[in-house]
Amino acid sequence: MFHKVHLQLTFLCLGITALILGIMSVSYLYISEKNLKETYFSSFQSDMNTLLSNLEHRTVISHRWLSQMEGNGKYIIDIQDNGVHFLWGTQNGNPSENRNAVIESGWKFYESRFQTESPSDAFSIYHQEFAFASAGAGTPDYYGCAAFSLRETGLLSILVLEPLAPLNRQIRSQRVTFAALIFICCIVLGIFSWYFTGRLLAPIEQSRQSQSRFIAAASHELRTPLSVILSAASACKKANSSEQDKFFDIIQEEGESMSRLISDLLMLAGADSRTALIRKEDCEADTLLLNFYEAFEPLARERGYLLTIFLPDKKIAPVRCDSDRIRQVLSILIHNAFSYTPPGSRIRLSLAETAENLLLQWSRHSG
């Protein structure tokens, strides 16, 4: 049961923290990618200003200059002189069909979104930057710049395209990195959640074990006086009328003892106490041991044991103790003697007094 609860709490903690981590990561990626695209587009606009400024002051446009401006495939440049394409693009290593398709898609996107404005002054340039998808739909994969320059010979139309493959690769790499980090974090969080919930459930498990031990101890405590009562009741049936009073007294005394035990157990359970309740009063130890002997002797005889008692000759002064607790301890000891001593053995109870202590002892002898 606790293993199942432990597992459920682990998944709950892991799920909540992973959800929070995922939301934060997605939010960060969204902001980061947005800033990255804005920065990339701003850089493209700056490059276009530089390129078009260079073009603005040129009277002759050569293949060599165009090759330098394309930057080894960084840009795709298309120039039209009064609507006639400048023959360029077959020497730079790009497939001309794909190049022409991308250029055509760029012009169509510009014409569908923006209104062409011709510059009023000679050699002045009007330009517009934009992002578009070469396939016509989906995520933009090109930045484009459409520019128009008025020359003496007519209108010069320029389209500069920059592939967004490097930007998209950077975004994908960032996403993969974050996904790997989230995966590693989830593993670490899972281990931590398992350990944390285990520590959280440890007191509950200890409490459950304490309850089990409490029930076992209560059963043990109640079994002994109950056994004495049953033994005395059985012996009472066989005894004559003069001996029955003694067994009735034993039954009454053990019943009262059981009643006190039940009261103590209920009090302990209600107060969740970790210490036993002690009621100290003056008690005659020899009388206590003798009464205990008389209560358990029929039970010992019934189980095949010879229970004897040894008391000192001189009278022992009363001692302050809890007689009920002493009886409980003696009951546990005598019950263990019955459980672990072979039948037919002799069990001896004795009382001795030293200078500072009073000793209650029991010993067992086989045969």
Side-chain angles (χ1 to χ4, degrees), residues 62-91:
S62 64
H63 283 195
R64 182 178 180 182
W65 180 82
L66 284 173
S67 179
Q68 292 176 348
M69 291 300 101
E70 284 201 346
N72 296 323
K74 181 179 180 181
Y75 300 115
I76 297 175
I77 300 178
D78 177 62
I79 299 179
Q80 299 179 24
D81 187 0
N82 293 317
V84 178
H85 286 277
F86 189 79
L87 297 180
W88 161 255
T90 58
Q91 311 95 315

Side-chain angles (χ1 to χ4, degrees), residues 164-214:
L164 296 182
L167 174 63
N168 292 332
R169 281 196 300 270
Q170 185 175 353
I171 291 175
R172 284 195 298 271
S173 176
Q174 184 173 263
R175 290 178 179 178
V176 170
T177 301
F178 263 82
L181 289 175
I182 290 175
F183 178 74
I184 295 173
C185 288
C186 285
I187 294 177
V188 175
L189 284 171
I191 297 172
F192 174 77
S193 298
W194 178 264
Y195 173 78
F196 176 76
T197 52
R199 293 291 299 272
L200 188 67
L201 289 173
I204 301 176
E205 174 66 13
Q206 292 175 0
S207 176
R208 187 188 69 84
Q209 293 176 356
S210 298
Q211 289 178 1
S212 299
R213 290 193 296 267
F214 177 82

Side-chain angles (χ1 to χ4, degrees), residues 59 174 223 301 309 343:
T59 56
Q174 184 173 263
R223 188 187 301 116
R301 187 172 61 253
I309 184 171

Side-chain angles (χ1 to χ4, degrees), residues 126-184:
Y126 165 80
H127 60 93
Q128 177 68 52
E129 289 79 22
F130 53 90
F132 75 101
S134 59
T139 304
D141 54 354
Y142 280 90
Y143 282 153
C145 175
F148 303 92
S149 175
L150 186 62
R151 300 297 176 106
E152 295 177 351
T153 57
L155 183 64
L156 196 66
S157 303
I158 306 104
L159 178 65
V160 183
L161 304 177
E162 180 181 4
L164 296 182
L167 174 63
N168 292 332
R169 281 196 300 270
Q170 185 175 353
I171 291 175
R172 284 195 298 271
S173 176
Q174 184 173 263
R175 290 178 179 178
V176 170
T177 301
F178 263 82
L181 289 175
I182 290 175
F183 178 74
I184 295 173

Side-chain angles (χ1 to χ4, degrees), residues 2-174:
F2 273 86
H3 179 74
K4 184 178 180 180
V5 173
H6 189 187
L7 197 61
Q8 289 175 345
L9 284 177
T10 299
F11 280 116
L12 178 62
C13 293
L14 176 60
I16 293 175
T17 51
L19 178 63
I20 295 174
L21 182 62
I23 293 174
M24 293 178 63
S25 299
V26 170
S27 301
Y28 174 81
L29 282 174
Y30 173 78
I31 297 172
S32 175
E33 291 176 10
K34 182 180 179 182
N35 292 335
L36 187 62
K37 291 176 181 178
E38 291 176 353
T39 302
Y40 212 85
F41 189 68
S42 297
S43 176
F44 174 73
Q45 289 178 315
S46 177
D47 291 345
M48 291 304 98
N49 288 331
T50 302
L51 187 150
L52 295 176
S53 177
N54 191 330
L55 178 64
E56 187 178 3
H57 298 90
R58 296 188 69 85
T59 56
V60 178
I61 301 176
S62 64
H63 283 195
R64 182 178 180 182
W65 180 82
L66 284 173
S67 179
Q68 292 176 348
M69 291 300 101
E70 284 201 346
N72 296 323
K74 181 179 180 181
Y75 300 115
I76 297 175
I77 300 178
D78 177 62
I79 299 179
Q80 299 179 24
D81 187 0
N82 293 317
V84 178
H85 286 277
F86 189 79
L87 297 180
W88 161 255
T90 58
Q91 311 95 315
N92 60 0
N94 293 320
S96 57
E97 289 186 4
N98 180 63
R99 175 189 179 92
N100 292 336
V102 172
I103 290 173
E104 183 180 357
S105 178
W107 278 119
K108 285 183 178 179
F109 181 86
Y110 173 78
E111 291 169 358
S112 65
R113 297 294 194 284
F114 305 98
Q115 183 177 359
T116 302
E117 295 185 13
S118 300
S120 56
D121 299 329
F123 286 91
S124 62
I125 293 181
Y126 165 80
H127 60 93
Q128 177 68 52
E129 289 79 22
F130 53 90
F132 75 101
S134 59
T139 304
D141 54 354
Y142 280 90
Y143 282 153
C145 175
F148 303 92
S149 175
L150 186 62
R151 300 297 176 106
E152 295 177 351
T153 57
L155 183 64
L156 196 66
S157 303
I158 306 104
L159 178 65
V160 183
L161 304 177
E162 180 181 4
L164 296 182
L167 174 63
N168 292 332
R169 281 196 300 270
Q170 185 175 353
I171 291 175
R172 284 195 298 271
S173 176
Q174 184 173 263

